[in-house]
Amino acid sequence: MACGTELDYWATYVDPERMPFQPTDAMRQGSLVDCLITEPQNFDRKYVVAPKCDRRTKAGKAEWAEAQELARSKCAELIAEDWHHTAQQIASKLLNDPVSRFYLLGSGQKPHFWQDEKHDTECRYLPDTERPDYGLLVDLKKSRSANPAHFARQSYSLGYDIQCAHYAEGYRDRYSEYPKTIALLAYEWAYPFNFSINIISEELLEVGRSRRDEAMAKIKDCSGINEWSSWGVNVMEPPAWLRLDDPANSSDVSDLDLEGLE
């Protein structure tokens, strides 16, 4: 598998004694922004914002405990006030910018289930935003860097091309045609909350389809014999992006880390 091993898949989805999934802080922050942008009407149901308080004091401990109890009673996630503030700033920036706003005006967070006939597998499709009137499918991605060159490297290692290929199949099953445009809207958590809109090329989508087919076939084979392989023995080679003539290696102004320039 491109983004993990068959053993990782087994541990996440198959192992009857698997541990409950614990999202990282980065995942939780991304989900928070997703909610504020794609389903703001559900924010109060899904989240409780903890008050600013000094938990070293008796009063602060009591305020925190009250917030925890409220979150438990609502089966909601307790988040810090600074997270909420940052996520609101990001959502406001993306929804008010004339470029990014176009990509976020559709509906989202509506799951769709279908049977993949090629792999005889039940699949799920849960887009962040889709605009069938424009043939547009958009997925929000919190990223350490929204620099397109940096994001492209990260995207392949994380299998975003595979996800896009999977989502394209779900979109087709829902609307009887493939999306005309698939975009990954990458944004940064840190101020000034920079972002980039990354359109998936047909060539990259074909790579994703190939990697998706390979991964699903491996999972099916492993399921049949109930053997789940790990990474095994590998030879390390220099990555392709280390080539000096690769334009992706050129620096931009944010890479220079210089201050005081006007």
Side-chain angles (χ1 to χ4, degrees), residues 4 11 29 33 70 86 111 138 141 150 193 230 244 254:
Q29 290 166 347
V33 173
L70 177 59
T86 297
V138 181
K141 297 295 185 186
H150 298 171
F193 314 119
S230 190
L244 295 179
S254 64

Side-chain angles (χ1 to χ4, degrees), residues 48-122:
V48 170
V49 181
K52 284 186 176 180
C53 59
D54 186 350
R55 285 191 279 168
R56 296 171 298 180
T57 67
K58 183 176 180 180
K61 291 178 181 177
E63 284 187 88
W64 184 259
E66 184 178 347
Q68 286 181 309
E69 181 55 37
L70 177 59
R72 277 194 294 267
S73 68
K74 296 172 61 176
C75 295
E77 181 179 347
L78 183 65
I79 58 171
E81 193 278 336
D82 63 325
W83 275 24
H84 184 216
H85 179 65
T86 297
Q88 284 181 313
Q89 288 181 290
I90 294 169
S92 177
K93 181 181 182 71
L94 295 179
L95 289 170
N96 287 293
D97 182 275
V99 176
S100 57
R101 178 177 172 79
F102 170 80
Y103 290 85
L104 298 173
L105 289 178
S107 60
Q109 300 298 328
K110 296 178 180 178
H112 175 73
F113 298 88
W114 85 99
Q115 186 72 18
D116 187 299
E117 295 182 0
K118 181 176 181 179
H119 299 285
D120 190 25
T121 302
E122 184 176 336

Side-chain angles (χ1 to χ4, degrees), residues 27-214:
M27 292 176 182
R28 293 173 60 215
Q29 290 166 347
S31 296
L32 176 57
V33 173
D34 285 359
C35 181
L36 288 172
I37 291 177
T38 65
E39 47 175 353
Q41 72 279 4
N42 291 327
F43 177 82
D44 290 336
R45 178 179 61 83
K46 298 179 71 172
Y47 293 97
V48 170
V49 181
K52 284 186 176 180
C53 59
D54 186 350
R55 285 191 279 168
R56 296 171 298 180
T57 67
K58 183 176 180 180
K61 291 178 181 177
E63 284 187 88
W64 184 259
E66 184 178 347
Q68 286 181 309
E69 181 55 37
L70 177 59
R72 277 194 294 267
S73 68
K74 296 172 61 176
C75 295
E77 181 179 347
L78 183 65
I79 58 171
E81 193 278 336
D82 63 325
W83 275 24
H84 184 216
H85 179 65
T86 297
Q88 284 181 313
Q89 288 181 290
I90 294 169
S92 177
K93 181 181 182 71
L94 295 179
L95 289 170
N96 287 293
D97 182 275
V99 176
S100 57
R101 178 177 172 79
F102 170 80
Y103 290 85
L104 298 173
L105 289 178
S107 60
Q109 300 298 328
K110 296 178 180 178
H112 175 73
F113 298 88
W114 85 99
Q115 186 72 18
D116 187 299
E117 295 182 0
K118 181 176 181 179
H119 299 285
D120 190 25
T121 302
E122 184 176 336
C123 298
R124 186 183 77 146
Y125 163 57
L126 182 63
D128 281 335
T129 302
E130 56 182 7
R131 298 188 66 179
D133 52 332
Y134 285 91
L136 178 62
L137 169 60
V138 181
D139 206 47
L140 287 157
K141 297 295 185 186
K142 176 180 175 289
S143 178
R144 183 176 181 181
S145 172
N147 177 312
H150 298 171
F151 182 69
R153 297 173 193 168
Q154 173 189 340
S155 296
Y156 188 81
S157 65
L158 293 176
Y160 290 167
D161 57 309
I162 302 174
Q163 182 188 39
C164 288
H166 184 76
Y167 275 16
E169 295 300 324
Y171 185 102
R172 182 187 64 83
D173 191 79
R174 175 180 269 174
Y175 297 111
S176 300
E177 61 180 2
Y178 285 111
K180 295 181 177 66
T181 303
I182 301 176
L184 300 181
L185 199 165
Y187 64 87
E188 298 172 9
W189 181 259
Y191 181 82
F193 314 119
N194 210 343
F195 71 90
S196 61
I197 297 165
N198 305 273
I199 307 300
I200 304 300
S201 70
E202 284 299 322
E203 183 180 5
L204 181 56
L205 189 60
E206 282 304 313
V207 171
R209 287 188 173 118
S210 177
R211 296 215 293 167
R212 176 181 180 266
D213 285 345
E214 179 184 359

Side-chain angles (χ1 to χ4, degrees), residues 232-253:
V233 179
N234 303 273
V235 175
M236 293 184 67
E237 300 284 0
W241 51 261
L242 277 180
R243 296 196 309 268
L244 295 179
D245 60 346
D246 189 334
N249 295 320
S250 61
S251 298
D252 67 13
V253 68

